[in-house]
Amino acid sequence: MHSLQNVNLDQFKADLHSHTYYSDGSASPKELIDHAIEIGLSALSITDHDTVDAYVEAIPYANQKGFCLVSGVEFSAIFKKRNVHILGYGLDIHHPFLHSFCRLQQSRRKDRNLRMLEKLKRFRFEISENDLEELEKLHRTVGRPHIANIMLQKGYVRSIQEAFSIYLGDGRCCYEQGDTASIDEVIDVVKQCRGKVFLAHPHLLQDGLFVKEVLQHDFDGIECYYARCPKEKERRWLKIAKERSLLISGGSDYHGTMKPHIPLGCSWISFEDFSRIFSVCL
Ligand code: AMP
Ligand code: ZN
Ligand code: FE
Ligand code: FE
């Protein structure tokens, strides 16, 4: 991690949730770092879905700019047939186990994407395997947002939101869960790579009882500050974090033009929470 010695700790802001075009964001790693510097963030984590490949380009660039970039990743898991997103921080991004797990997740995604394309064909939405392979030239991880984007470009839907709410969203008619990792499998990988494990955007799981069940797994922390999540919801997760002695994370879940209503840095954590996760000594 780059030195934080020149940072004013009272004004410290770390956005620990962002995506590049290595997954379903629109910015390159360099563009994302430039953007973070421009808006005055003190630290950033790139948390692409199922890949850490953005760091190959991001680490030397952050070092050159004297910017504090911390390692991160977002994995999908299934628990009781529901999608749970898990963030890993501070992991050794060169760990071979991490790379083999990312490859496994990506191949699971490919199978799942093909199954979703089959379902979409029933509605005469013609998206070919080749269309997805084209996307793989730019994106390491291809998922539902990319499929939604193709549907928009081909004029099958009027918006990404429509693609999700009618066809691709969890449980919708063209949704496929696919063969996905369990929560324990993801936790094990992140911990073997010396990372800390956080439950991402718990409010998207909607039901509080389910969140409590999910948190019975060996999480280190919970994402309490998220995108434009209302303050009262944040308070709920902060309370749970305190009761269970969990670490606190937060970030914007920035996806660039893929989610234009969410600006980088709209959620962030203070130096106090940041230093508990990354054991910073000044
Ligand atoms: P996947 O990784 O293929 O399961 O796709 C999940 C991603 O799709 C999430 O990270 C979100 O960025 C996006 N997503 C999920 N549900 C919706 C929704 N209802 N509207 C827009 N984007 C969504
Ligand atoms: Zn995403
Ligand atoms: Fe997520
Ligand atoms: Fe995300």
Side-chain angles (χ1 to χ4, degrees):
M1 191 194 317
H2 199 273
S3 161
L4 282 168
Q5 272 169 1
N6 297 326
V7 173
N8 178 347
L9 297 187
D10 291 334
Q11 285 168 22
F12 182 96
K13 286 184 179 182
D15 184 337
L16 296 187
H17 195 156
S18 66
H19 298 267
T20 70
Y21 62 46
Y22 278 80
S23 65
D24 55 359
S26 62
S28 72
K30 285 180 185 166
E31 283 165 351
L32 188 56
I33 290 167
D34 282 340
H35 190 164
I37 294 169
E38 191 186 300
I39 64 170
L41 285 175
S42 321
L44 177 79
S45 186
I46 297 173
T47 50
D48 277 319
H49 300 276
D50 298 332
T51 178
V52 289
D53 289 356
Y55 283 94
V56 174
E57 190 184 328
I59 290 173
Y61 192 67
N63 285 341
Q64 181 195 325
K65 295 276 173 176
F67 181 71
C68 179
L69 178 73
V70 285
S71 66
V73 67
E74 182 171 16
F75 287 125
S76 309
I78 287 289
F79 180 61
K80 297 196 166 174
K81 298 195 171 167
R82 288 169 69 179
N83 268 304
V84 176
H85 285 187
I86 299 173
L87 293 158
Y89 290 121
L91 12 68
D92 170 7
I93 55 149
H94 302 294
H95 203 295
F97 195 33
L98 180 60
H99 289 269
S100 60
F101 183 68
C102 287
R103 277 198 298 275
L104 172 63
Q105 288 284 86
Q106 284 153 18
S107 80
R108 283 166 161 167
R109 274 178 179 277
K110 274 193 188 182
D111 292 342
R112 172 190 181 227
N113 288 344
L114 292 181
R115 282 195 241 168
M116 286 193 283
L117 294 195
E118 282 306 311
K119 287 191 167 176
L120 286 165
K121 282 203 177 88
R122 292 187 209 153
F123 292 84
R124 300 183 192 276
F125 297 153
E126 292 298 329
I127 302 172
S128 67
E129 191 173 351
N130 199 33
D131 290 333
L132 296 191
E133 279 167 4
E134 273 302 304
L135 291 175
E136 283 165 11
K137 290 180 185 162
L138 179 65
H139 311 286
R140 191 70 76 246
T141 301
V142 172
R144 284 182 285 166
H146 303 97
I147 297 176
N149 211 14
I150 298 178
M151 290 172 76
L152 179 64
Q153 280 165 18
K154 294 200 177 200
Y156 297 152
V157 287
R158 279 162 298 177
S159 66
I160 300 265
Q161 206 43 54
E162 184 182 319
F164 271 96
S165 59
I166 305 178
Y167 305 104
L168 299 173
D170 292 14
R172 303 288 172 202
C173 56
C174 298
Y175 171 74
E176 268 287 337
Q177 184 178 286
D179 170 28
T180 313
S182 67
I183 293 179
D184 287 332
E185 190 180 353
V186 171
I187 291 180
D188 182 53
V189 171
V190 174
K191 294 206 168 173
Q192 288 215 44
C193 302
R194 297 190 289 280
K196 294 204 169 103
V197 192
F198 286 70
L199 174 61
H201 40 63
H203 68 289
L204 293 183
L205 298 173
Q206 274 151 10
D207 123 38
L209 217 60
F210 184 71
V211 172
K212 287 193 172 156
E213 268 187 82
V214 167
L215 285 175
Q216 279 165 8
H217 296 80
D218 194 16
F219 284 93
D220 298 298
I222 179 165
E223 188 176 47
C224 296
Y225 304 103
Y226 178 78
R228 290 192 154 139
C229 188
K231 284 271 166 272
E232 64 273 14
K233 290 205 175 158
E234 288 177 358
R235 274 198 289 275
R236 181 178 184 192
W237 310 127
L238 290 166
K239 184 167 171 273
I240 290 181
K242 197 169 177 195
E243 282 165 7
R244 295 171 180 239
S245 303
L246 289 166
L247 297 166
I248 292 163
S249 75
S252 58
D253 204 3
Y254 179 72
H255 283 75
T257 56
M258 294 291 278
K259 288 189 185 174
H261 52 292
I262 304 286
L264 186 66
C266 65
S267 249
W268 45 269
I269 56 167
S270 65
F271 181 72
E272 194 186 344
D273 291 328
F274 180 85
S275 59
R276 288 198 182 113
I277 305 172
F278 297 100
S279 315
V280 184
C281 336
L282 290 178

